[in-house]
Each structure stands twice: as structure tokens, then as C-alpha cells.
């Protein structure tokens, strides 16, 4: 079993692409907080509780089918989930070097980081209690703590250079999915820090799309490269326009290599990013 309890998905030949993707300008432009209680303009998060109740009713992370899901049209689309926008963040995409399969995303904000992964879960029960028990059994230094997202884990991790980093691991169960967040930096150790509040809110505002694909429990929900709101809207408009123009389908008969099946925005949209080197958070694994 791997360090974080998902050894099945962490084969030895997996390698994380050592690229840090800066979120494009759209990430910085939309900085309005979601509706909620505030004091002097600061969003107040719910008090810690023994179990994370109310997901999909008063707080997130959200499912795309939740009745009160926030409007995520302006979120960044990664397939398994949609990320909200927060000024000053950097986004790094984790991928398998050989297969190019995207495995997750890491948000860096100030001196803190948040690694995000979405897993398939059983229909009849959640996954976080079971995963948390596995982590405690596999790591003698891990300990439970009550936090904003219910029962969380504190786990000291040795990284390169002989340093030890304390991580805070949270898990939230949704309809047939579990969203896991691994916080490091101030967001892992200082509950009152601005970075902690900002990244807690960021995690709570994520919208998950499980999809209908059959997946075994603990399988990663499939992801695709980031698609910005502008690219998503352009792809949708193009698809709708082509559907209208080609309603009769007659003039498509002579087109060579005509694509089959429905429009796939992952294949039709070019994702433009700015690359720069950065520290590898995933080295804590």
C-alpha cells in the first residue's frame, strides 16, 4: 500500500511531470467569494465537527447534481472536477510521464499547497472512513484531528534534504466519489492563517463530476488537461453551430476521415498554458 493508502494507483513506473502550470489570467480575474456568512468581509468557515454533515446542502465540495451546487460555468474544467478561482494561486498538473494520464492537481498559494484527487467510491457507503483507517494503520506517526471537514489526519512526511513536513489530509464523501485534499505549509499547521482559510474555502468550493463510467472503489476518476471557461464556451458554441449547419448531414458524405461520435471538447480544444519550474510537492510521496 502506498504512503497515502492508494498503492493500486501508484505503480513504481509512475512519474510525475515536473512542470508547474501557472493558472492563466482568468484565474486571477474572478476573485469574488461565494455567498456565505462574513465578518468585516472575511468569509467565516463552519466550525469543526466530528463528521462532515451538510455536504451538498450548505457547504461543499459539491457534486454537479447537487440542488444548491454553485454556478461553475467560470470554473477551470479538469474532467473529474471543476476548480474555482482564487487570485494569486499557481496550478500544477500531475501526470504519469509514460502514459500522460492526468492524476490530479496541486494548488500553491503563498507558502501553502493543496493537492487534490478524486476517487470513485461505492454506491452504498462512503470511502473516507475506510481510507483514514488504512492510513492510520500504515503510518505510526499519523494522528486524527477534528477540523473544518470533519475528522482529518495529521501526517509528518520526510522530504528531500532531510526535512520533515507536516501534512493535513482531509476527505469528503459525495455520491459515488471521495475528494481528498492534502494540505501542506501553513495550511496544514496553522488553523488561523489566512492561507488556511483561503485554501479551505477553495477546497469546499470544488465541484466534482463523477460521470457514469464504471469504476472500482479507489480508482481515480478520469481527468483531462485544463479547459478554461472561455475555451469551454467556444467549444460548445462551435459544436452547436456545426450541428445546425450539418443538420441534414448530406454534405458530410465526401469528407475524408470524418470524425465519429459526439463532439469531445478534450480533443477539439487547445489548452494554452505558461510553464515554469517549481518545487515538487508530490515528493512527499
Amino acid at each position: 500500500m502506498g504512503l497515502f493508502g492508494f498503492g493500486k494507483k501508484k505503480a513504481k513506473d509512475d512519474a510525475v511531470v515536473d512542470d508547474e502550470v501557472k493558472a492563466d489570467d482568468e484565474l486571477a480575474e474572478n476573485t469574488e467569494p461565494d455567498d456565505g456568512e462574513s465578518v468585516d468581509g472575511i468569509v467565516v468557515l463552519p466550525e469543526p465537527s466530528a463528521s462532515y454533515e451538510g455536504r451538498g446542502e450548505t457547504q461543499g465540495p459539491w457534486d454537479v447534481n447537487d440542488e444548491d451546487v454553485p454556478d461553475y460555468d467560470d470554473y477551470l474544467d479538469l474532467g473529474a472536477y471543476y476548480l474555482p478561482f482564487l487570485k494569486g494561486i499557481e496550478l500544477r498538473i500531475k501526470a504519469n510521464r509514460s502514459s500522460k494520464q492526468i492524476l490530479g492537481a496541486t494548488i500553491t498559494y503563498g507558502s501553502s499547497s493543496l493537492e487534490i484527487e478524486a476517487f470513485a467510491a461505492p454506491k452504498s457507503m462512503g470511502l473516507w472512513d475506510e481510507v483514514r483507517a488504512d492510513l492510520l494503520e500504515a503510518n505510526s506517526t499519523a494522528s486524527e484531528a477534528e477540523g473544518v471537514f470533519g475528522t482529518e489526519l495529521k501526517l509528518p512526511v520526510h522530504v528531500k534534504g532531510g526535512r520533515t513536513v507536516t501534512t493535513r489530509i482531509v476527505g469528503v464523501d459525495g455520491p459515488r466519489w471521495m475528494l481528498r485534499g492534502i494540505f501542506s505549509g501553513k495550511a496544514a499547521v496553522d488553523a488561523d492563517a489566512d492561507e488556511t482559510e483561503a485554501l479551505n474555502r477553495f477546497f469546499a468550493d470544488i465541484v466534482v463530476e463523477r460521470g457514469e463510467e464504471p469504476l472500482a472503489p479507489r480508482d481515480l476518476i478520469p481527468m483531462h488537461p485544463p479547459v478554461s471557461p472561455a475555451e469551454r464556451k467556444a467549444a460548445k458554441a462551435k459544436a452547436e453551430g456545426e450541428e445546425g449547419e450539418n443538420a441534414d448531414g448530406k454534405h458530410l458524405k465526401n469528407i475524408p476521415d470524418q470524425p465519429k461520435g459526439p463532439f469531445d471538447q478534450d480533443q477539439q480544444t487547445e489548452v494554452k498554458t505558461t510553464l515554469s519550474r517549481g518545487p515538487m510537492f508530490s515528493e512527499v510521496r
Side-chain angles (χ1 to χ4, degrees):
M1 180 175 294
L3 176 64
F4 291 114
F6 289 85
K8 181 170 62 174
K9 301 300 292 183
K10 307 296 179 186
K12 291 183 179 179
D13 61 350
D14 280 2
V16 176
V17 174
D18 189 9
D19 288 326
E20 184 170 318
V21 182
K22 269 188 179 297
D24 66 22
D25 291 340
E26 277 190 278
L27 286 170
E29 291 174 359
N30 190 336
T31 60
E32 290 298 320
D34 286 347
D35 293 339
E37 295 184 9
S38 63
V39 178
D40 295 330
I42 299 176
V43 177
V44 178
L45 291 170
E47 290 296 322
S49 59
S51 61
Y52 189 64
E53 298 178 352
R55 193 219 60 77
E57 298 176 6
T58 61
Q59 53 193 333
W62 305 86
D63 184 84
V64 290
N65 294 317
D66 284 335
E67 182 177 355
D68 297 320
V69 62
D71 183 359
Y72 55 93
D73 282 348
D74 291 327
Y75 281 24
L76 191 69
D77 178 6
L78 289 172
Y81 47 77
Y82 298 82
L83 295 181
F85 295 94
L86 176 64
K87 185 177 181 179
I89 66 171
E90 292 182 349
L91 168 67
R92 187 171 71 250
I93 301 301
K94 273 197 322 179
N96 179 290
R97 191 182 300 278
S98 58
S99 68
K100 307 302 182 184
Q101 177 188 6
I102 295 178
L103 306 174
T106 299
I107 298 298
T108 300
Y109 182 69
S111 63
S112 300
S113 293
L114 167 60
E115 184 176 350
I116 306 159
E117 294 172 307
F119 298 90
K123 292 182 179 180
S124 58
M125 58 184 294
L127 191 61
W128 176 232
D129 287 347
E130 176 185 328
V131 169
R132 195 172 68 253
D134 288 347
L135 293 172
L136 288 168
E137 181 179 355
N139 300 276
S140 60
T141 57
S143 60
E144 291 184 326
E146 297 308 315
V148 171
F149 297 100
T151 305
E152 306 174 350
L153 286 183
K154 294 284 188 177
L155 178 63
V157 178
H158 299 294
V159 298
K160 286 185 177 180
R163 296 185 303 115
T164 299
V165 175
T166 298
T167 60
R168 175 169 67 99
I169 307 175
V170 307
V172 175
D173 291 313
R176 298 195 305 140
W177 54 259
M178 183 196 78
L179 190 69
R180 186 179 66 184
I182 304 174
F183 295 79
S184 67
K186 285 185 179 180
V189 296
D190 186 353
D192 298 323
D194 291 342
E195 293 175 14
T196 305
E197 181 177 338
L199 288 182
N200 279 346
R201 171 57 58 190
F202 185 93
F203 187 77
D205 286 344
I206 293 173
V207 177
V208 178
E209 184 163 20
R210 162 64 174 80
E212 300 302 323
E213 180 180 352
L215 296 169
R218 301 198 185 199
D219 276 358
L220 285 166
I221 300 174
M223 300 179 66
H224 58 59
V227 179
S228 71
E231 291 168 325
R232 193 161 68 245
K233 292 172 184 176
K236 181 179 179 180
K238 181 179 179 182
E240 292 176 348
E242 289 180 349
E243 182 178 349
E245 293 174 3
N246 304 332
D248 56 14
K250 294 180 180 179
H251 64 290
L252 295 179
K253 294 180 180 179
N254 299 322
I255 296 178
D257 301 322
Q258 178 184 338
K260 298 179 180 179
F263 176 79
D264 186 340
Q265 66 185 22
D266 303 342
Q267 299 173 0
Q268 301 291 334
T269 304
E270 179 183 358
V271 179
K272 298 179 180 179
T273 55
T274 302
L275 299 181
S276 62
R277 291 287 182 181
M280 288 296 295
F281 174 73
S282 293
E283 287 172 354
V284 301
R285 290 183 180 278

